Amino acid sequence: MIKTFTSDHFETYKKCPKAYYYKYKKKIKFALQKDTYKLGRSIHSLADYHLRGLTLGKIEADLDETTKEHWQNVLKSPLLNKKIICTEWGFDILLGKNIWLNGRIDAVFEASEESPNSTNLRLSQMRPQKCENKSVIGQITDLFETGQWRWRGKIPFFPQSHGQNAQMLFVAGDFKVLLLTRHIPLAKVPSMLTQKFIEEEIIKLNSALAKLGLKRPKIALCGLNPHAGEEGLLGKEEQEEFLPALKNLKEKNIDIEGPFPADMLFAKASDFYKKNEPMPYDCYVATYHDQGLCAVKSIDLDKTVNVTIGLDILRTSPAHGTAFDIAGKNIASAQSMKEAIKFAFAKIPVNTK
């Protein structure tokens, strides 16, 4: 039996699991709010025609007053003046044997600082939404431009929306890499890596990994400097901040080792991964963005998933960026998105029967 999920399935379940049950399990049809539904369809169609460059003069002249008022407000959005790549872009993703995810992106735009690169015209969702329903235990996000929201990357949004401290974990099979610091200038990284900060982040990581099924994970910490500082010769951060933090963490019964020179640590991890042998460590902790991502992405980019841990939900996304230079050319790979969906489905109890 083929099981197909659309964006409406997820939206319905997010709003109300009972509504999902009656609508999709029992196949009970709901009465539509005809006036609201008609207005929404009209605005959606007008926006689509506008973005395609069609002349709307006669259509606009025949609108009723309510629709005309709403449409004039929509026209004020700078979004509708951006250069369009395509509209009504449908997608189908095979999640597993006989299980498909399909949906539609209403509009894809060229990137700019003022507007997102895609949006849903019907819902007018201009940013990721907080999962208000406590029954929602997982969230899969596709790619979106984040500069306009004053957040460095997607991750800072989620602590604001879910009230917790998020961490960025990259997963490729059994190979897991956590970033201690993320989207900050490299020059600011050393000042961030204090003993207190390292201890707090590792404690959060240890707890999050336990929720993913690793009861006492074995963790390896990279050094910041070449050769992990060479005992202070090439940098003092390892001696002054890292080692005292590791001592305190071990006293808290956290299984952590390091700091190790990052090049050899990841070289050995790559060897185990390629041979499909058990990884020496359950998680590798990189001190800054490129130190960790160059390792995991060069080993297996297509299989890598960006997992946000430390939330009250599990959130996954592709491990790569938006790739605006190839948007709309039908040459981008969806593999990382597929892996993100598979990971979420594997880690949360979703009933697809």
Side-chain angles (χ1 to χ4, degrees):
M1 179 180 177
I2 296 178
K3 302 180 180 67
T4 301
F5 298 94
T6 69
S7 58
D8 284 338
H9 283 78
F10 293 109
E11 287 294 330
T12 304
Y13 186 84
K14 182 171 71 174
K15 292 176 181 177
C16 180
K18 286 187 177 180
Y20 176 92
Y21 173 78
Y22 288 116
K23 183 176 181 180
Y24 294 107
K25 298 291 186 180
K26 293 297 185 180
K27 307 294 184 183
I28 297 175
K29 294 184 178 181
F30 292 84
L32 295 173
Q33 296 178 327
K34 293 183 178 179
D35 292 341
T36 303
Y37 181 72
K38 182 179 178 181
L39 175 62
R41 283 188 64 105
S42 298
I43 297 299
H44 184 284
S45 298
L46 287 164
D48 184 54
Y49 295 155
H50 177 87
L51 290 171
R52 294 186 188 193
L54 301 178
T55 302
L56 300 178
K58 186 176 185 309
I59 297 175
E60 288 178 322
D62 292 338
L63 296 177
D64 60 66
E65 291 302 317
T66 300
T67 305
K68 186 178 295 185
E69 180 182 355
H70 279 80
W71 176 234
Q72 291 303 315
N73 289 331
V74 170
L75 281 174
K76 295 176 184 178
S77 170
L79 182 65
L80 295 188
N81 296 318
K82 300 304 174 183
K83 186 174 181 180
I84 191 74
I85 296 175
C86 65
T87 63
E88 302 295 326
W89 184 60
F91 62 88
D92 294 281
I93 299 174
L94 181 63
L95 301 183
K97 186 177 181 181
N98 294 332
I99 299 178
W100 287 83
L101 173 69
N102 58 37
R104 183 188 65 195
I105 295 176
D106 289 339
V108 180
F109 304 89
E110 283 196 353
S112 72
E113 294 182 357
E114 292 81 17
S115 67
N117 64 302
S118 66
T119 190
N120 185 314
L121 300 177
R122 179 170 57 87
L123 298 176
S124 301
Q125 291 177 326
M126 302 294 289
R127 71 177 195 179
Q129 300 297 304
K130 178 178 178 179
C131 293
E132 299 287 355
N133 193 310
K134 298 302 181 182
S135 296
V136 175
I137 52 180
Q139 190 170 25
I140 305 164
T141 60
D142 58 1
L143 305 174
F144 49 83
E145 177 60 35
T146 54
Q148 74 219 326
W149 299 327
R150 302 178 184 175
W151 296 309
R152 289 188 169 93
K154 305 172 195 176
I155 302 302
F157 164 76
F158 290 96
Q160 294 187 39
S161 66
H162 289 277
Q164 300 176 13
N165 293 317
Q167 291 179 299
M168 185 182 284
L169 180 72
F170 287 84
V171 180
D174 291 334
F175 185 29
K176 300 178 183 66
V177 177
L178 180 90
L179 305 184
L180 273 183
T181 62
R182 300 184 292 266
H183 299 112
I184 63 172
L186 190 58
K188 294 184 179 181
V189 169
S191 63
M192 286 282 295
L193 298 174
T194 64
Q195 175 184 338
K196 182 175 182 293
F197 175 78
I198 294 170
E199 289 182 27
E200 290 175 347
E201 293 300 301
I202 298 300
I203 289 172
K204 288 191 295 184
L205 169 64
N206 191 69
S207 176
L209 290 175
K211 293 179 181 179
L212 291 178
L214 299 168
K215 297 305 179 185
R216 192 170 186 267
K218 190 173 183 180
I219 302 169
L221 175 63
C222 295
L224 170 65
N225 297 295
H227 305 177
E230 200 75 75
E231 297 185 354
L233 181 64
L234 302 177
K236 299 186 181 300
E237 286 84 2
E238 287 82 2
Q239 298 291 315
E240 296 178 355
E241 306 293 343
F242 287 50
L243 289 176
L246 290 179
K247 180 176 181 295
N248 289 342
L249 290 167
K250 290 177 180 178
E251 290 176 354
K252 292 180 171 64
N253 198 34
I254 293 178
D255 189 358
I256 185 168
E257 298 177 1
F260 298 108
D263 55 350
M264 289 309 299
L265 182 65
F266 285 130
K268 292 177 181 178
S270 174
D271 190 45
F272 278 90
Y273 183 87
K274 291 176 180 177
K275 291 179 180 179
N276 199 27
E277 297 179 355
M279 301 298 290
Y281 295 94
D282 294 307
C283 188
Y284 296 78
V285 179
T287 57
Y288 58 92
H289 186 277
D290 286 11
Q291 184 186 64
L293 293 191
C294 285
V296 69
K297 290 186 177 182
S298 63
I299 290 174
D300 201 341
L301 174 60
D302 284 345
K303 292 291 183 68
T304 302
V305 178
N306 183 350
V307 182
T308 305
I309 57 176
L311 303 174
D312 52 5
I313 64 168
L314 176 68
R315 175 260 174 188
T316 67
S317 77
H320 51 74
T322 47
F324 293 131
D325 56 320
I326 60 174
K329 297 181 180 179
N330 200 30
I331 60 175
S333 171
Q335 188 59 44
S336 187
M337 183 66 182
K338 293 178 182 179
E339 295 297 326
I341 296 169
K342 290 178 182 178
F343 186 93
F345 271 65
K347 295 298 180 182
I348 60 177
V350 177
N351 182 7
T352 60
K353 293 183 180 180

